[in-house]
Amino acid sequence: MTPERPFSLVLSGGGLKGLAHIGVLRALEERGLVPGLVVGSSIGSLIAAAWAAGVPVARMAERASAVKRRDVFRVAHTEVAFRRLLAPALYRREPLDALITSLIGDITFHDLKRRLLVNTVDLHTGMQVMWGLPGLRDVRVADAVSASCALPGIFPPREINGRAYVDGAVVENLPVRLAASLGTGPIIAVNVAATSIRRSTDETQGFAATYIRGLEIVMQTQIEGQLRDWKGPPMILVQPKVEHISMFAFDRNDELLEAGYLATRQMLDQMAHRLHAMTDGMHPTRTLRVLVDESRCVGCGSCVIQAPKVFRLDARGKAQVLAPLQRWSPIDGAYVLNCPTYAISARPEDTAA
């Protein structure tokens, strides 16, 4: 990739794991790479908006390192105590709004230095609304970002022009479709919502932990389904290694910043010189050998249902691989993670391409 090569940047939601997006921007900045369009959901919209407003990446990193739980989450005690299930959310909006405004300022989309789209959903119609499009630029950027961060049940919906809006991740956590339609050139899409690692029991106990874990699974499944048959312009999918971290863990901030930086730097080292020649579809790709541990396989057939061109059941009822060598993009191979007895594995056969 060269500084002259236009591209769009899409930043997913994922709670505090989205701090990794700041590391992504740092890596791009070091290479002199500036996206022509940046699109964000939830915390991705906050990082994208700060960048579009001209906030230096170093300042973003400094703020991210220092942010504490009380800066974002304060229980809405009065609402919950008196209204119970009629309370709009578990947490108050004011602390998050104050954080957003302190970073972005009191500006509209017309005042931004760079092109930005913020992903939200109209709570009453279910319509996806992208603030920053023509006709949708007169609102405060901070209000649009607040709406995009309004995860249902966690934060109250945000009212804009008399309508209630919530987190755009409800319908599209990684909003690449609009980037494909409105952007120029390839897309760099950053997914911090991956959750492919089992969590310990203490991380899934209690209502809040169970709810958040469920959200992580929903968002990952949504993204996999959305990208599995991607036919748009060339897309480089960057997935920082943050799947072992909970969405709202406030003790891993610096680790998240570094994870985003390292993942993006590695991608740029691998892909930069080939970007101008990339074909449409998902990148990077690599060859893996798919294996089945027969001692673990119980013959449930889940792999055949998910990937009938890759598996079949043999005469003994065991899974058999039809084509052991598979060319995978970063979104492929869900059948490995979804095998209920962990009988399927994949071994790299070459380097990424």
Side-chain angles (χ1 to χ4, degrees):
M1 188 183 298
T2 65
E4 294 77 24
R5 175 70 170 176
F7 68 98
S8 300
L9 179 66
V10 180
L11 306 180
S12 80
L16 263 289
K17 294 195 287 188
L19 296 182
H21 293 317
I22 300 173
V24 172
L25 291 171
R26 173 189 162 201
L28 293 174
E29 186 179 76
E30 286 182 353
R31 302 291 182 99
L33 301 173
V34 180
L37 169 68
V38 61
V39 187
S41 278
S42 200
I43 191 170
S45 75
L46 173 58
I47 306 304
W51 179 83
V55 179
V57 173
R59 182 186 168 202
M60 281 191 258
E62 182 180 349
R63 291 289 303 274
S65 294
V67 71
K68 305 296 183 184
R69 182 176 297 274
R70 64 177 178 273
D71 298 326
V72 180
F73 294 113
R74 294 184 193 173
V75 176
H77 291 290
T78 302
E79 291 279 354
V80 172
F82 288 97
R83 301 188 65 187
R84 298 183 182 274
L85 292 180
L86 293 179
L90 183 60
Y91 295 101
R92 295 167 50 195
R93 175 192 299 117
E94 293 83 2
L96 178 60
D97 280 355
L99 176 65
I100 293 170
T101 302
S102 71
L103 190 61
I104 299 172
D106 188 17
I107 59 175
T108 71
F109 283 82
H110 296 292
D111 302 314
L112 292 172
K113 300 178 183 297
R114 293 144 177 165
R115 194 177 175 203
L116 168 72
L117 296 177
V118 173
N119 184 28
T120 67
V121 171
D122 185 313
L123 183 60
H124 300 292
T125 66
M127 180 186 301
Q128 186 176 19
V129 178
M130 283 283 187
W131 301 100
L133 288 174
L136 297 174
R137 296 173 180 162
D138 294 329
V139 303
R140 293 175 70 244
V141 177
D143 288 344
V145 170
S146 177
S148 190
C149 292
L151 191 62
I154 301 297
F155 292 111
R158 182 72 190 192
E159 184 175 310
I160 302 176
N161 296 335
R163 300 193 66 84
Y165 296 91
V166 295
D167 193 339
V170 169
V171 297
E172 191 178 12
N173 191 38
L174 189 66
V176 293
R177 293 178 300 167
L178 209 62
S181 299
L182 299 178
T184 302
I187 297 170
I188 296 178
V190 186
N191 174 30
V192 297
T195 178
S196 59
I197 290 180
R198 293 182 66 188
R199 296 284 171 77
S200 61
T201 304
D202 61 345
E203 290 182 286
T204 54
Q205 288 183 339
F207 165 76
T210 302
Y211 178 69
I212 294 303
R213 181 60 172 160
L215 285 175
E216 290 178 328
I217 295 170
V218 167
M219 286 191 290
Q220 176 64 13
T221 304
Q222 177 201 83
I223 289 174
E224 287 178 358
Q226 174 189 355
L227 299 184
R228 188 168 293 119
D229 298 314
W230 177 256
K231 304 299 182 184
M235 182 195 301
I236 300 173
L237 183 62
V238 179
Q239 300 195 99
K241 296 184 183 303
V242 297
E243 60 266 32
H244 60 292
I245 301 175
S246 175
M247 284 178 63
F248 296 126
F250 282 81
D251 58 345
R252 315 288 284 274
N253 297 12
D254 290 336
E255 180 183 348
L256 290 166
L257 294 171
E258 188 68 9
Y261 173 74
L262 292 176
T264 307
R265 190 177 69 177
Q266 181 182 29
M267 176 275 295
L268 292 173
D269 289 342
Q270 292 176 351
M271 302 295 299
H273 64 288
R274 292 193 293 270
L275 191 66
H276 66 284
M278 280 198 314
T279 58
D280 289 352
M282 188 79 60
H283 300 271
T285 61
R286 59 179 181 167
T287 300
L288 294 99
R289 183 176 296 276
V290 179
L291 306 168
V292 174
D293 183 345
E294 291 189 356
S295 67
R296 288 178 174 269
C297 179
V298 296
C300 68
S302 175
C303 56
V304 179
I305 295 171
Q306 296 180 64
K309 295 182 180 180
V310 181
F311 298 97
R312 71 177 180 185
L313 295 181
D314 63 18
R316 301 168 299 158
K318 298 286 187 178
Q320 181 181 32
V321 185
L322 298 174
L325 292 181
Q326 294 286 315
R327 195 72 183 171
W328 279 8
S329 77
I331 210 67
D332 290 326
Y335 49 76
V336 173
L337 301 175
N338 292 331
C339 175
T341 59
Y342 309 101
I344 303 173
S345 60
R347 184 181 66 200
E349 289 283 313
D350 67 357
T351 57

